[in-house]
Amino acid sequence: MEAVFSYIIGLGAAVMMPIIFTILGVCIGVKFSKALGSGLKVGVGFVGLSVITGLLTSSLGPALNAVVDIYHLNLQVFDMGWPAAASVAYNTTVGAFIIPVCLGVNLVLLLLRCTRTVNIDLWNYWHFAFIGAVVYFLSDKAGWSFPVAWGFFAAIICYVITLALADLTAKRFQEFYPGMEGISIPQPFCQGFTPFAIVIGKLLDKIPGFEKLNIDAEGMKRKFGLFGEPLFLGVIIGIVIGCLACKNGQELVDNIPATLGLGIKMGAVMELIPRITTLFIEGLKPISDATRELIARKFGKDAELYIGMSPALVIGHPTTLIVSLLLMPLTLVLAVVLPGNQFLPLASLAGMFYVFVMILPYTRGNVLKSLIIGLVLMVIGLYFVTLMAGDFTSAAHSVAMVHPDDAAVQVPAGFDAGSLDFASSPFSTVIYVCIKYLKYIGAAVLTVGAVGILLWNRRMIKR
């Protein structure tokens, strides 16, 4: 099973999306050529996004590493990035079976009318496998009975809560992002921040005069012209980071071409991501329209079914790009000044865009409000990563012993392992804390909470 699903995951979204969309499209009555064309556009979108993300990582990574060396920003928890978290997730019994188990759970919940989302975002199933793997290793290390069962319990709890929140937030998501009709986001890293976005947003609205600061990316363009464009902001922030990566004035002069080049590359990232994400919308529209028409014919016009997709579809929103790029250097500063934090994010910073996918629908794209919420979440997330670092490190060492050639899970000597990707998510941390420190009581609390939100979601669906 591990070999089969590792092969499927290894094909990647760019290869599997044309296959999945073609099969899905034909099943719901779309012509073969149209369904294949939709899948190919989505597949090409993933290829383009991967290229641009790679450009961001390869360009920004050396500069940030130089900043760390110059200012001696060394902390105890080493940023392994999402590849390490995914390797730990999939190289366990939990990870090997996570796709069929979660798809089975999804089917049962659909039949029970506890969800409307069909989660085909297979590549992000590693998020569920990750918390399952961490719980599996910690329960095995503690000598608990049935550690695999504990791991699957954690993964399934995370999965059902995410599905319910994907349903409950789908309308707001679809209203905010154009072209996303019939789509929901069942990714726990994004959905875990939704409650914080709602609560913090309401608190900010209570501040007298704050509503006057309501300015979105389009408002910035109108107010500041070129200086409010994401392209220009990307260039400026890239140049500033390039300057900070120089030890002295002479090195700054010598590195002017490299610094200007970094600025242009950051501007390119800000400009190209929105253009690439339009491919996702073009590819999704025929499948989404056909799905809604089929459901309306079979179950009535009020019935709905959502296709659960990757948040990569919408990370090209201008507010997401602006706030993410601003938050990258600010997160480094937070990591150094926060007392008790031991995690220094570097490899994970490229995933900053995904933090805001479900925040923006609740801030209406307000740049300042989104940035404040992002800062609060990064403070919380850094402590969450520090809290889980010990068991994440143990899990990485255990996987490294079985797969010594897997470079992704090799933890540098003298460091613990951490990752901002999902290790900082409230879902993973709550599940981790409940099981590790409360065991059966924690499991009971998680079960009651998951069942409660499913019943609430079922009531909303019936209504």
Side-chain angles (χ1 to χ4, degrees):
M1 290 295 289
E2 181 181 351
V4 169
F5 288 104
S6 293
Y7 179 78
I8 292 173
I9 294 298
L11 291 175
V15 175
M16 285 301 296
M17 270 303 163
I19 298 173
I20 291 175
F21 268 57
T22 303
I23 295 172
L24 180 61
V26 171
C27 289
I28 61 178
V30 179
K31 289 183 179 180
F32 174 81
S33 58
K34 195 172 184 180
L36 178 60
S38 292
L40 288 173
K41 285 183 179 179
V42 175
V44 170
F46 275 107
V47 171
L49 198 58
S50 176
V51 171
I52 297 303
T53 305
L55 174 65
L56 174 67
T57 304
S58 62
S59 302
L60 200 58
L64 291 176
N65 285 326
V67 171
V68 169
D69 292 338
I70 292 170
Y71 299 100
H72 307 292
L73 308 180
N74 296 316
L75 297 172
Q76 186 63 34
V77 180
F78 181 78
D79 188 358
M80 302 287 286
W82 75 265
S87 292
V88 169
Y90 280 128
N91 284 296
T92 63
T93 304
V94 178
F97 286 90
I98 196 67
I99 293 178
V101 167
C102 285
L103 287 177
V105 171
N106 200 164
L107 178 60
V108 170
L109 294 179
L110 285 167
L111 293 173
L112 294 175
R113 297 184 68 189
C114 290
T115 186
R116 288 173 168 166
T117 294
V118 181
N119 186 1
I120 65 170
D121 183 21
L122 303 182
W123 297 269
N124 280 319
Y125 273 44
W126 74 262
H127 287 224
F128 310 112
F130 172 77
I131 187 58
V134 170
V135 168
Y136 161 73
F137 281 116
L138 78 86
S139 58
D140 185 54
K141 184 178 178 181
W144 296 357
S145 301
F146 311 112
V148 173
W150 280 106
F152 276 116
F153 171 78
I156 291 171
I157 288 291
C158 185
Y159 189 74
V160 299
I161 293 174
T162 303
L163 281 179
L165 278 180
D167 285 351
L168 295 169
T169 59
K171 286 297 182 185
R172 183 68 73 97
F173 171 81
Q174 293 164 14
E175 289 170 2
F176 182 76
Y177 293 106
M180 290 293 119
E181 293 80 8
I183 304 298
S184 67
I185 302 296
Q187 200 231 40
F189 181 69
C190 296
Q191 289 293 351
F193 298 131
T194 304
F196 289 85
I198 295 171
V199 173
I200 299 172
K202 288 185 180 299
L203 292 176
L204 290 174
D205 289 337
K206 293 183 181 297
I207 300 174
F210 190 86
E211 69 277 359
K212 296 179 180 179
L213 302 175
N214 186 9
I215 181 169
D216 58 12
E218 291 301 319
M220 289 184 65
K221 292 179 185 179
R222 291 193 298 269
K223 191 176 182 65
F224 301 108
L226 174 65
F227 299 100
E229 291 274 0
L231 168 61
F232 185 79
L233 290 173
V235 172
I236 294 301
I237 292 175
I239 291 174
V240 170
I241 293 174
C243 292
L244 291 174
C246 299
K247 295 179 181 179
N248 50 51
Q250 183 59 48
E251 187 172 333
L252 178 61
V253 172
D254 294 340
N255 284 340
I256 286 177
T259 300
L260 294 176
L262 179 60
I264 295 297
K265 288 176 181 176
M266 291 302 98
V269 169
M270 300 286 275
E271 184 69 18
L272 292 175
I273 286 181
R275 296 176 185 266
I276 289 169
T277 53
T278 58
L279 287 169
F280 292 127
I281 297 174
E282 292 176 16
L284 283 170
K285 186 169 177 55
I287 302 297
S288 178
D289 290 345
T291 302
R292 291 201 307 276
E293 291 172 6
L294 176 65
I295 293 169
R297 288 198 309 269
K298 297 290 185 181
F299 304 104
K301 63 180 182 179
D302 293 330
E304 286 184 286
L305 192 69
Y306 304 136
I307 300 174
M309 288 291 292
S310 168
L313 304 180
V314 293
I315 63 169
H317 192 280
T319 298
T320 293
L321 298 174
I322 292 170
V323 177
S324 298
L325 205 57
L326 289 173
L327 202 55
M328 286 180 189
L330 291 175
T331 302
L332 285 177
V333 175
L334 286 173
V336 176
V337 301
L338 287 175
N341 171 63
Q342 291 296 316
F343 177 63
L344 182 66
L346 286 173
S348 297
L349 290 178
M352 192 70 72
F353 300 111
Y354 296 90
V355 172
F356 296 97
V357 168
M358 293 309 303
I359 291 176
L360 263 57
Y362 292 91
T363 63
R364 296 296 181 186
N366 185 325
V367 173
L368 180 60
K369 185 183 286 188
S370 300
L371 179 61
I372 293 172
I373 292 173
L375 282 169
V376 174
L377 292 176
M378 285 303 101
V379 170
I380 296 170
L382 291 172
Y383 284 121
F384 281 174
V385 177
T386 301
L387 176 66
M388 199 184 293
D391 285 308
F392 185 12
T393 305
S394 298
H397 284 318
S398 298
V399 172
M401 290 175 64
V402 180
H403 301 278
D405 296 331
D406 189 349
V409 294
Q410 303 300 323
V411 184
F415 288 90
D416 284 338
S419 172
L420 203 62
D421 306 82
F422 197 50
S424 66
S425 169
F427 283 179
S428 62
T429 305
V430 169
I431 294 170
Y432 169 78
V433 169
C434 284
I435 292 177
K436 179 172 183 177
Y437 298 105
L438 300 176
K439 200 176 180 181
Y440 293 114
I441 296 175
V445 170
L446 290 171
T447 302
V448 170
V451 171
I453 195 170
L454 283 177
L455 292 176
W456 183 23
N457 191 40
R458 187 174 188 272
R459 182 182 178 187
M460 298 299 291
I461 291 171
K462 292 180 70 175
R463 181 181 296 175

